[in-house]
PDB file of all heavy atoms in Angstrom:
ATOM      1  N   ARG A  66      96.187  47.475 105.813  1.00 81.00           N
ATOM      2  CA  ARG A  66      96.527  48.911 105.898  1.00 81.00           C
ATOM      3  C   ARG A  66      95.390  49.545 106.560  1.00 81.00           C
ATOM      4  O   ARG A  66      94.261  49.468 106.112  1.00 81.00           O
ATOM      5  CB  ARG A  66      96.836  49.461 104.503  1.00 81.00           C
ATOM      6  CG  ARG A  66      97.235  50.944 104.484  1.00 81.00           C
ATOM      7  CD  ARG A  66      97.644  51.350 103.122  1.00 81.00           C
ATOM      8  NE  ARG A  66      96.538  51.316 102.177  1.00 81.00           N
ATOM      9  CZ  ARG A  66      95.700  52.337 102.007  1.00 81.00           C
ATOM     10  NH1 ARG A  66      95.855  53.509 102.708  1.00 81.00           N
ATOM     11  NH2 ARG A  66      94.678  52.314 101.227  1.00 81.00           N
ATOM     12  N   GLN A  67      95.658  50.327 107.575  1.00 80.00           N
ATOM     13  CA  GLN A  67      94.617  51.079 108.364  1.00 80.00           C
ATOM     14  C   GLN A  67      94.755  52.546 108.099  1.00 80.00           C
ATOM     15  O   GLN A  67      95.850  53.059 108.163  1.00 80.00           O
ATOM     16  CB  GLN A  67      94.763  50.707 109.883  1.00 80.00           C
ATOM     17  CG  GLN A  67      93.488  51.130 110.611  1.00 80.00           C
ATOM     18  CD  GLN A  67      93.560  50.695 112.051  1.00 80.00           C
ATOM     19  OE1 GLN A  67      94.383  51.080 112.823  1.00 80.00           O
ATOM     20  NE2 GLN A  67      92.770  49.661 112.417  1.00 80.00           N
ATOM     21  N   GLU A  68      93.619  53.136 107.819  1.00 80.00           N
ATOM     22  CA  GLU A  68      93.628  54.540 107.575  1.00 80.00           C
ATOM     23  C   GLU A  68      92.573  55.257 108.447  1.00 80.00           C
ATOM     24  O   GLU A  68      91.452  54.826 108.547  1.00 80.00           O
ATOM     25  CB  GLU A  68      93.264  54.847 106.082  1.00 80.00           C
ATOM     26  CG  GLU A  68      93.402  56.260 105.643  1.00 80.00           C
ATOM     27  CD  GLU A  68      93.087  56.457 104.210  1.00 80.00           C
ATOM     28  OE1 GLU A  68      92.026  56.055 103.761  1.00 80.00           O
ATOM     29  OE2 GLU A  68      93.923  57.144 103.453  1.00 80.00           O
ATOM     30  N   LYS A  69      93.028  56.332 109.081  1.00 82.00           N
ATOM     31  CA  LYS A  69      92.120  57.052 109.961  1.00 82.00           C
ATOM     32  C   LYS A  69      91.857  58.454 109.396  1.00 82.00           C
ATOM     33  O   LYS A  69      92.866  59.039 108.981  1.00 82.00           O
ATOM     34  CB  LYS A  69      92.699  57.170 111.379  1.00 82.00           C
ATOM     35  CG  LYS A  69      92.768  55.857 112.190  1.00 82.00           C
ATOM     36  CD  LYS A  69      93.263  56.038 113.579  1.00 82.00           C
ATOM     37  CE  LYS A  69      93.249  54.726 114.328  1.00 82.00           C
ATOM     38  NZ  LYS A  69      93.791  54.917 115.726  1.00 82.00           N
ATOM     39  N   LYS A  70      90.592  58.889 109.396  1.00 81.00           N
ATOM     40  CA  LYS A  70      90.210  60.191 108.914  1.00 81.00           C
ATOM     41  C   LYS A  70      89.444  60.855 109.993  1.00 81.00           C
ATOM     42  O   LYS A  70      88.654  60.221 110.717  1.00 81.00           O
ATOM     43  CB  LYS A  70      89.372  60.076 107.632  1.00 81.00           C
ATOM     44  CG  LYS A  70      90.051  59.531 106.412  1.00 81.00           C
ATOM     45  CD  LYS A  70      89.193  59.526 105.251  1.00 81.00           C
ATOM     46  CE  LYS A  70      89.714  58.847 104.057  1.00 81.00           C
ATOM     47  NZ  LYS A  70      88.802  58.773 102.911  1.00 81.00           N
ATOM     48  N   GLU A  71      89.548  62.198 110.099  1.00 82.00           N
ATOM     49  CA  GLU A  71      88.791  63.016 110.977  1.00 82.00           C
ATOM     50  C   GLU A  71      88.409  64.277 110.326  1.00 82.00           C
ATOM     51  O   GLU A  71      89.312  64.954 109.777  1.00 82.00           O
ATOM     52  CB  GLU A  71      89.502  63.213 112.333  1.00 82.00           C
ATOM     53  CG  GLU A  71      88.674  64.051 113.250  1.00 82.00           C
ATOM     54  CD  GLU A  71      89.283  64.322 114.598  1.00 82.00           C
ATOM     55  OE1 GLU A  71      90.587  64.030 114.762  1.00 82.00           O
ATOM     56  OE2 GLU A  71      88.734  64.811 115.544  1.00 82.00           O
ATOM     57  N   LEU A  72      87.178  64.597 110.336  1.00 82.00           N
ATOM     58  CA  LEU A  72      86.658  65.809 109.826  1.00 82.00           C
ATOM     59  C   LEU A  72      86.612  66.915 110.949  1.00 82.00           C
ATOM     60  O   LEU A  72      86.075  66.722 111.962  1.00 82.00           O
ATOM     61  CB  LEU A  72      85.311  65.702 109.264  1.00 82.00           C
ATOM     62  CG  LEU A  72      84.653  67.011 108.694  1.00 82.00           C
ATOM     63  CD1 LEU A  72      85.339  67.432 107.480  1.00 82.00           C
ATOM     64  CD2 LEU A  72      83.136  66.765 108.431  1.00 82.00           C
ATOM     65  N   VAL A  73      87.524  68.053 110.691  1.00 85.00           N
ATOM     66  CA  VAL A  73      87.594  69.087 111.652  1.00 85.00           C
ATOM     67  C   VAL A  73      86.963  70.276 111.088  1.00 85.00           C
ATOM     68  O   VAL A  73      87.241  70.625 109.956  1.00 85.00           O
ATOM     69  CB  VAL A  73      89.031  69.352 112.049  1.00 85.00           C
ATOM     70  CG1 VAL A  73      89.203  70.487 112.997  1.00 85.00           C
ATOM     71  CG2 VAL A  73      89.675  68.061 112.657  1.00 85.00           C
ATOM     72  N   ILE A  74      86.097  70.908 111.718  1.00 85.00           N
ATOM     73  CA  ILE A  74      85.368  72.110 111.250  1.00 85.00           C
ATOM     74  C   ILE A  74      85.776  73.333 112.028  1.00 85.00           C
ATOM     75  O   ILE A  74      85.690  73.287 113.262  1.00 85.00           O
ATOM     76  CB  ILE A  74      83.846  71.882 111.354  1.00 85.00           C
ATOM     77  CG1 ILE A  74      83.394  70.690 110.495  1.00 85.00           C
ATOM     78  CG2 ILE A  74      83.074  73.122 110.862  1.00 85.00           C
ATOM     79  CD1 ILE A  74      81.952  70.200 110.646  1.00 85.00           C
ATOM     80  N   LEU A  75      86.148  74.350 111.289  1.00 87.00           N
ATOM     81  CA  LEU A  75      86.515  75.657 111.910  1.00 87.00           C
ATOM     82  C   LEU A  75      85.435  76.649 111.557  1.00 87.00           C
ATOM     83  O   LEU A  75      85.173  76.880 110.322  1.00 87.00           O
ATOM     84  CB  LEU A  75      87.945  76.173 111.443  1.00 87.00           C
ATOM     85  CG  LEU A  75      89.107  75.191 111.586  1.00 87.00           C
ATOM     86  CD1 LEU A  75      90.313  75.683 110.997  1.00 87.00           C
ATOM     87  CD2 LEU A  75      89.380  74.906 113.054  1.00 87.00           C
ATOM     88  N   ILE A  76      84.863  77.292 112.547  1.00 88.00           N
ATOM     89  CA  ILE A  76      83.752  78.231 112.336  1.00 88.00           C
ATOM     90  C   ILE A  76      84.248  79.589 112.970  1.00 88.00           C
ATOM     91  O   ILE A  76      84.589  79.650 114.133  1.00 88.00           O
ATOM     92  CB  ILE A  76      82.433  77.798 112.935  1.00 88.00           C
ATOM     93  CG1 ILE A  76      81.980  76.520 112.316  1.00 88.00           C
ATOM     94  CG2 ILE A  76      81.358  78.833 112.782  1.00 88.00           C
ATOM     95  CD1 ILE A  76      80.743  75.872 112.913  1.00 88.00           C
ATOM     96  N   LYS A  77      84.072  80.661 112.246  1.00 88.00           N
ATOM     97  CA  LYS A  77      84.365  81.988 112.769  1.00 88.00           C
ATOM     98  C   LYS A  77      83.212  82.806 112.536  1.00 88.00           C
ATOM     99  O   LYS A  77      82.803  83.396 111.498  1.00 88.00           O
ATOM    100  CB  LYS A  77      85.560  82.629 111.996  1.00 88.00           C
ATOM    101  CG  LYS A  77      85.918  83.997 112.444  1.00 88.00           C
ATOM    102  CD  LYS A  77      87.090  84.564 111.657  1.00 88.00           C
ATOM    103  CE  LYS A  77      87.548  85.911 112.137  1.00 88.00           C
ATOM    104  NZ  LYS A  77      88.525  86.571 111.368  1.00 88.00           N
ATOM    105  N   PRO A  78      82.362  82.917 113.702  1.00 87.00           N
ATOM    106  CA  PRO A  78      81.175  83.788 113.622  1.00 87.00           C
ATOM    107  C   PRO A  78      81.559  85.288 113.681  1.00 87.00           C
ATOM    108  O   PRO A  78      82.336  85.680 114.454  1.00 87.00           O
ATOM    109  CB  PRO A  78      80.365  83.385 114.807  1.00 87.00           C
ATOM    110  CG  PRO A  78      81.382  82.867 115.814  1.00 87.00           C
ATOM    111  CD  PRO A  78      82.527  82.286 114.995  1.00 87.00           C
ATOM    112  N   THR A  79      80.915  86.052 112.817  1.00 83.00           N
ATOM    113  CA  THR A  79      81.101  87.517 112.851  1.00 83.00           C
ATOM    114  C   THR A  79      79.872  88.288 112.865  1.00 83.00           C
ATOM    115  O   THR A  79      78.984  88.001 112.008  1.00 83.00           O
ATOM    116  CB  THR A  79      81.954  87.988 111.551  1.00 83.00           C
ATOM    117  OG1 THR A  79      83.218  87.232 111.520  1.00 83.00           O
ATOM    118  CG2 THR A  79      82.243  89.388 111.648  1.00 83.00           C
ATOM    119  N   VAL A  80      79.605  89.004 113.905  1.00 82.00           N
ATOM    120  CA  VAL A  80      78.327  89.790 114.036  1.00 82.00           C
ATOM    121  C   VAL A  80      78.450  91.054 113.123  1.00 82.00           C
ATOM    122  O   VAL A  80      79.370  91.748 113.424  1.00 82.00           O
ATOM    123  CB  VAL A  80      78.093  90.101 115.424  1.00 82.00           C
ATOM    124  CG1 VAL A  80      76.726  90.903 115.589  1.00 82.00           C
ATOM    125  CG2 VAL A  80      77.954  88.816 116.295  1.00 82.00           C
ATOM    126  N   VAL A  81      77.456  91.159 112.205  1.00 77.00           N
ATOM    127  CA  VAL A  81      77.548  92.411 111.356  1.00 77.00           C
ATOM    128  C   VAL A  81      76.549  93.417 111.977  1.00 77.00           C
ATOM    129  O   VAL A  81      75.360  93.232 112.002  1.00 77.00           O
ATOM    130  CB  VAL A  81      77.078  91.981 109.936  1.00 77.00           C
ATOM    131  CG1 VAL A  81      77.081  93.254 109.078  1.00 77.00           C
ATOM    132  CG2 VAL A  81      78.023  90.939 109.316  1.00 77.00           C
ATOM    133  N   MET A  82      77.145  94.533 112.412  1.00 72.00           N
ATOM    134  CA  MET A  82      76.317  95.620 112.970  1.00 72.00           C
ATOM    135  C   MET A  82      75.803  96.544 111.925  1.00 72.00           C
ATOM    136  O   MET A  82      76.289  96.524 110.679  1.00 72.00           O
ATOM    137  CB  MET A  82      77.184  96.447 113.911  1.00 72.00           C
ATOM    138  CG  MET A  82      77.763  95.605 115.195  1.00 72.00           C
ATOM    139  SD  MET A  82      76.394  94.958 116.151  1.00 72.00           S
ATOM    140  CE  MET A  82      77.272  94.175 117.462  1.00 72.00           C
ATOM    141  N   PRO A  83      74.775  97.298 112.214  1.00 69.00           N
ATOM    142  CA  PRO A  83      74.164  98.191 111.140  1.00 69.00           C
ATOM    143  C   PRO A  83      75.234  99.122 110.422  1.00 69.00           C
ATOM    144  O   PRO A  83      75.159  99.305 109.257  1.00 69.00           O
ATOM    145  CB  PRO A  83      73.153  99.003 111.972  1.00 69.00           C
ATOM    146  CG  PRO A  83      72.747  98.144 113.126  1.00 69.00           C
ATOM    147  CD  PRO A  83      73.996  97.432 113.504  1.00 69.00           C
ATOM    148  N   ASP A  84      76.130  99.607 111.231  1.00 69.00           N
ATOM    149  CA  ASP A  84      77.148 100.558 110.588  1.00 69.00           C
ATOM    150  C   ASP A  84      78.159  99.822 109.775  1.00 69.00           C
ATOM    151  O   ASP A  84      78.802 100.365 108.905  1.00 69.00           O
ATOM    152  CB  ASP A  84      77.944 101.410 111.579  1.00 69.00           C
ATOM    153  CG  ASP A  84      78.659 100.452 112.583  1.00 69.00           C
ATOM    154  OD1 ASP A  84      78.229  99.300 112.779  1.00 69.00           O
ATOM    155  OD2 ASP A  84      79.639 100.954 113.293  1.00 69.00           O
ATOM    156  N   ALA A  85      78.271  98.516 109.962  1.00 65.00           N
ATOM    157  CA  ALA A  85      79.172  97.705 109.128  1.00 65.00           C
ATOM    158  C   ALA A  85      78.646  97.651 107.658  1.00 65.00           C
ATOM    159  O   ALA A  85      79.528  97.658 106.771  1.00 65.00           O
ATOM    160  CB  ALA A  85      79.313  96.259 109.653  1.00 65.00           C
ATOM    161  N   TRP A  86      77.319  97.615 107.477  1.00 67.00           N
ATOM    162  CA  TRP A  86      76.844  97.588 106.039  1.00 67.00           C
ATOM    163  C   TRP A  86      77.198  98.955 105.359  1.00 67.00           C
ATOM    164  O   TRP A  86      77.479  98.975 104.200  1.00 67.00           O
ATOM    165  CB  TRP A  86      75.321  97.407 106.021  1.00 67.00           C
ATOM    166  CG  TRP A  86      74.952  96.010 106.519  1.00 67.00           C
ATOM    167  CD1 TRP A  86      74.305  95.677 107.705  1.00 67.00           C
ATOM    168  CD2 TRP A  86      75.154  94.825 105.760  1.00 67.00           C
ATOM    169  NE1 TRP A  86      74.122  94.229 107.727  1.00 67.00           N
ATOM    170  CE2 TRP A  86      74.569  93.699 106.515  1.00 67.00           C
ATOM    171  CE3 TRP A  86      75.690  94.529 104.591  1.00 67.00           C
ATOM    172  CZ2 TRP A  86      74.604  92.427 106.174  1.00 67.00           C
ATOM    173  CZ3 TRP A  86      75.783  93.182 104.168  1.00 67.00           C
ATOM    174  CH2 TRP A  86      75.191  92.116 104.976  1.00 67.00           C
ATOM    175  N   LYS A  87      77.098  99.996 106.093  1.00 73.00           N
ATOM    176  CA  LYS A  87      77.322 101.328 105.524  1.00 73.00           C
ATOM    177  C   LYS A  87      78.854 101.437 105.100  1.00 73.00           C
ATOM    178  O   LYS A  87      79.171 101.990 104.033  1.00 73.00           O
ATOM    179  CB  LYS A  87      77.003 102.394 106.591  1.00 73.00           C
ATOM    180  CG  LYS A  87      75.567 102.606 106.805  1.00 73.00           C
ATOM    181  CD  LYS A  87      75.239 103.639 107.778  1.00 73.00           C
ATOM    182  CE  LYS A  87      73.800 103.818 108.118  1.00 73.00           C
ATOM    183  NZ  LYS A  87      73.462 104.764 109.163  1.00 73.00           N
ATOM    184  N   LYS A  88      79.800 100.893 106.000  1.00 72.00           N
ATOM    185  CA  LYS A  88      81.179 100.926 105.733  1.00 72.00           C
ATOM    186  C   LYS A  88      81.420 100.041 104.435  1.00 72.00           C
ATOM    187  O   LYS A  88      82.246 100.387 103.542  1.00 72.00           O
ATOM    188  CB  LYS A  88      82.015 100.385 106.866  1.00 72.00           C
ATOM    189  CG  LYS A  88      81.940 101.355 108.055  1.00 72.00           C
ATOM    190  CD  LYS A  88      82.735 100.668 109.152  1.00 72.00           C
ATOM    191  CE  LYS A  88      82.660 101.608 110.490  1.00 72.00           C
ATOM    192  NZ  LYS A  88      83.402 100.991 111.587  1.00 72.00           N
ATOM    193  N   GLN A  89      80.732  98.901 104.373  1.00 68.00           N
ATOM    194  CA  GLN A  89      80.970  98.033 103.279  1.00 68.00           C
ATOM    195  C   GLN A  89      80.396  98.676 101.980  1.00 68.00           C
ATOM    196  O   GLN A  89      81.087  98.530 100.875  1.00 68.00           O
ATOM    197  CB  GLN A  89      80.168  96.744 103.471  1.00 68.00           C
ATOM    198  CG  GLN A  89      80.395  95.568 102.398  1.00 68.00           C
ATOM    199  CD  GLN A  89      81.853  95.079 102.403  1.00 68.00           C
ATOM    200  OE1 GLN A  89      82.511  95.152 103.362  1.00 68.00           O
ATOM    201  NE2 GLN A  89      82.400  94.834 101.179  1.00 68.00           N
ATOM    202  N   GLN A  90      79.315  99.380 101.960  1.00 73.00           N
ATOM    203  CA  GLN A  90      78.763 100.013 100.838  1.00 73.00           C
ATOM    204  C   GLN A  90      79.753 101.139 100.379  1.00 73.00           C
ATOM    205  O   GLN A  90      79.987 101.420  99.215  1.00 73.00           O
ATOM    206  CB  GLN A  90      77.322 100.636 101.076  1.00 73.00           C
ATOM    207  CG  GLN A  90      76.302  99.555 101.212  1.00 73.00           C
ATOM    208  CD  GLN A  90      74.933 100.164 101.558  1.00 73.00           C
ATOM    209  OE1 GLN A  90      74.858 101.335 102.045  1.00 73.00           O
ATOM    210  NE2 GLN A  90      73.895  99.358 101.452  1.00 73.00           N
ATOM    211  N   ALA A  91      80.265 101.906 101.381  1.00 78.00           N
ATOM    212  CA  ALA A  91      81.183 103.045 100.989  1.00 78.00           C
ATOM    213  C   ALA A  91      82.423 102.433 100.382  1.00 78.00           C
ATOM    214  O   ALA A  91      83.010 103.031  99.417  1.00 78.00           O
ATOM    215  CB  ALA A  91      81.468 103.815 102.267  1.00 78.00           C
ATOM    216  N   HIS A  92      82.945 101.369 100.866  1.00 74.00           N
ATOM    217  CA  HIS A  92      84.104 100.713 100.339  1.00 74.00           C
ATOM    218  C   HIS A  92      83.888 100.240  98.880  1.00 74.00           C
ATOM    219  O   HIS A  92      84.661 100.428  97.977  1.00 74.00           O
ATOM    220  CB  HIS A  92      84.555  99.610 101.239  1.00 74.00           C
ATOM    221  CG  HIS A  92      85.793  98.791 100.655  1.00 74.00           C
ATOM    222  ND1 HIS A  92      87.032  99.361 100.689  1.00 74.00           N
ATOM    223  CD2 HIS A  92      85.857  97.490 100.170  1.00 74.00           C
ATOM    224  CE1 HIS A  92      87.849  98.436 100.115  1.00 74.00           C
ATOM    225  NE2 HIS A  92      87.159  97.429  99.767  1.00 74.00           N
ATOM    226  N   SER A  93      82.708  99.580  98.612  1.00 75.00           N
ATOM    227  CA  SER A  93      82.285  99.139  97.367  1.00 75.00           C
ATOM    228  C   SER A  93      82.163 100.269  96.331  1.00 75.00           C
ATOM    229  O   SER A  93      82.542 100.199  95.202  1.00 75.00           O
ATOM    230  CB  SER A  93      81.009  98.290  97.400  1.00 75.00           C
ATOM    231  OG  SER A  93      81.241  97.198  98.196  1.00 75.00           O
ATOM    232  N   ARG A  94      81.504 101.364  96.855  1.00 81.00           N
ATOM    233  CA  ARG A  94      81.336 102.539  95.958  1.00 81.00           C
ATOM    234  C   ARG A  94      82.609 103.198  95.552  1.00 81.00           C
ATOM    235  O   ARG A  94      82.912 103.533  94.384  1.00 81.00           O
ATOM    236  CB  ARG A  94      80.393 103.642  96.674  1.00 81.00           C
ATOM    237  CG  ARG A  94      79.870 104.650  95.764  1.00 81.00           C
ATOM    238  CD  ARG A  94      78.956 105.600  96.522  1.00 81.00           C
ATOM    239  NE  ARG A  94      77.771 104.889  97.012  1.00 81.00           N
ATOM    240  CZ  ARG A  94      77.391 104.688  98.258  1.00 81.00           C
ATOM    241  NH1 ARG A  94      78.224 105.169  99.227  1.00 81.00           N
ATOM    242  NH2 ARG A  94      76.292 104.055  98.568  1.00 81.00           N
ATOM    243  N   ALA A  95      83.595 103.219  96.472  1.00 83.00           N
ATOM    244  CA  ALA A  95      84.919 103.809  96.154  1.00 83.00           C
ATOM    245  C   ALA A  95      85.631 102.906  95.207  1.00 83.00           C
ATOM    246  O   ALA A  95      86.329 103.369  94.267  1.00 83.00           O
ATOM    247  CB  ALA A  95      85.716 103.938  97.484  1.00 83.00           C
ATOM    248  N   LEU A  96      85.466 101.607  95.334  1.00 79.00           N
ATOM    249  CA  LEU A  96      86.117 100.654  94.431  1.00 79.00           C
ATOM    250  C   LEU A  96      85.604 100.802  93.022  1.00 79.00           C
ATOM    251  O   LEU A  96      86.337 100.838  91.920  1.00 79.00           O
ATOM    252  CB  LEU A  96      85.832  99.213  94.921  1.00 79.00           C
ATOM    253  CG  LEU A  96      86.975  98.263  94.798  1.00 79.00           C
ATOM    254  CD1 LEU A  96      88.122  98.610  95.680  1.00 79.00           C
ATOM    255  CD2 LEU A  96      86.513  96.808  95.074  1.00 79.00           C
ATOM    256  N   LEU A  97      84.237 100.929  92.875  1.00 80.00           N
ATOM    257  CA  LEU A  97      83.535 101.117  91.582  1.00 80.00           C
ATOM    258  C   LEU A  97      84.046 102.470  90.926  1.00 80.00           C
ATOM    259  O   LEU A  97      84.308 102.466  89.712  1.00 80.00           O
ATOM    260  CB  LEU A  97      82.052 101.112  91.718  1.00 80.00           C
ATOM    261  CG  LEU A  97      81.490  99.714  91.984  1.00 80.00           C
ATOM    262  CD1 LEU A  97      79.980  99.840  92.311  1.00 80.00           C
ATOM    263  CD2 LEU A  97      81.633  98.784  90.813  1.00 80.00           C
ATOM    264  N   ASN A  98      84.164 103.528  91.684  1.00 82.00           N
ATOM    265  CA  ASN A  98      84.577 104.759  91.218  1.00 82.00           C
ATOM    266  C   ASN A  98      86.056 104.653  90.631  1.00 82.00           C
ATOM    267  O   ASN A  98      86.341 105.278  89.679  1.00 82.00           O
ATOM    268  CB  ASN A  98      84.464 105.845  92.203  1.00 82.00           C
ATOM    269  CG  ASN A  98      83.099 106.242  92.605  1.00 82.00           C
ATOM    270  OD1 ASN A  98      82.130 105.969  91.740  1.00 82.00           O
ATOM    271  ND2 ASN A  98      82.865 106.706  93.755  1.00 82.00           N
ATOM    272  N   THR A  99      86.835 103.995  91.353  1.00 81.00           N
ATOM    273  CA  THR A  99      88.247 103.719  90.901  1.00 81.00           C
ATOM    274  C   THR A  99      88.237 103.024  89.568  1.00 81.00           C
ATOM    275  O   THR A  99      89.021 103.326  88.700  1.00 81.00           O
ATOM    276  CB  THR A  99      89.102 102.981  91.962  1.00 81.00           C
ATOM    277  OG1 THR A  99      89.020 103.631  93.117  1.00 81.00           O
ATOM    278  CG2 THR A  99      90.548 102.835  91.593  1.00 81.00           C
ATOM    279  N   TRP A 100      87.414 101.901  89.391  1.00 74.00           N
ATOM    280  CA  TRP A 100      87.348 101.217  88.195  1.00 74.00           C
ATOM    281  C   TRP A 100      86.882 102.019  86.973  1.00 74.00           C
ATOM    282  O   TRP A 100      87.464 101.946  85.901  1.00 74.00           O
ATOM    283  CB  TRP A 100      86.459 100.008  88.344  1.00 74.00           C
ATOM    284  CG  TRP A 100      87.084  98.885  89.268  1.00 74.00           C
ATOM    285  CD1 TRP A 100      88.302  98.816  89.762  1.00 74.00           C
ATOM    286  CD2 TRP A 100      86.351  97.838  89.861  1.00 74.00           C
ATOM    287  NE1 TRP A 100      88.487  97.756  90.527  1.00 74.00           N
ATOM    288  CE2 TRP A 100      87.214  97.115  90.629  1.00 74.00           C
ATOM    289  CE3 TRP A 100      84.959  97.489  89.862  1.00 74.00           C
ATOM    290  CZ2 TRP A 100      86.894  96.039  91.450  1.00 74.00           C
ATOM    291  CZ3 TRP A 100      84.622  96.389  90.580  1.00 74.00           C
ATOM    292  CH2 TRP A 100      85.526  95.654  91.350  1.00 74.00           C
ATOM    293  N   TYR A 101      85.887 102.827  87.190  1.00 74.00           N
ATOM    294  CA  TYR A 101      85.273 103.630  86.101  1.00 74.00           C
ATOM    295  C   TYR A 101      86.252 104.729  85.742  1.00 74.00           C
ATOM    296  O   TYR A 101      86.266 105.203  84.556  1.00 74.00           O
ATOM    297  CB  TYR A 101      83.936 104.151  86.497  1.00 74.00           C
ATOM    298  CG  TYR A 101      82.877 103.071  86.434  1.00 74.00           C
ATOM    299  CD1 TYR A 101      82.030 102.827  87.517  1.00 74.00           C
ATOM    300  CD2 TYR A 101      82.609 102.360  85.213  1.00 74.00           C
ATOM    301  CE1 TYR A 101      81.094 101.782  87.477  1.00 74.00           C
ATOM    302  CE2 TYR A 101      81.690 101.386  85.132  1.00 74.00           C
ATOM    303  CZ  TYR A 101      80.899 101.155  86.331  1.00 74.00           C
ATOM    304  OH  TYR A 101      79.948 100.179  86.132  1.00 74.00           O
ATOM    305  N   GLU A 102      86.979 105.312  86.717  1.00 71.00           N
ATOM    306  CA  GLU A 102      87.959 106.364  86.281  1.00 71.00           C
ATOM    307  C   GLU A 102      89.058 105.873  85.390  1.00 71.00           C
ATOM    308  O   GLU A 102      89.595 106.600  84.577  1.00 71.00           O
ATOM    309  CB  GLU A 102      88.486 106.961  87.639  1.00 71.00           C
ATOM    310  CG  GLU A 102      87.530 107.851  88.333  1.00 71.00           C
ATOM    311  CD  GLU A 102      88.031 108.378  89.699  1.00 71.00           C
ATOM    312  OE1 GLU A 102      89.161 108.060  89.971  1.00 71.00           O
ATOM    313  OE2 GLU A 102      87.288 108.989  90.422  1.00 71.00           O
TER     314      GLU A 102
END
């Protein structure tokens, strides 16, 4: 019985710009406010 295996790697690079951190922080802050309310 012969078995063949192949490892396939999928990579998705995403460049995070300075304004992306601010958007992420605003989204997290809004989420936290919703939880506490």
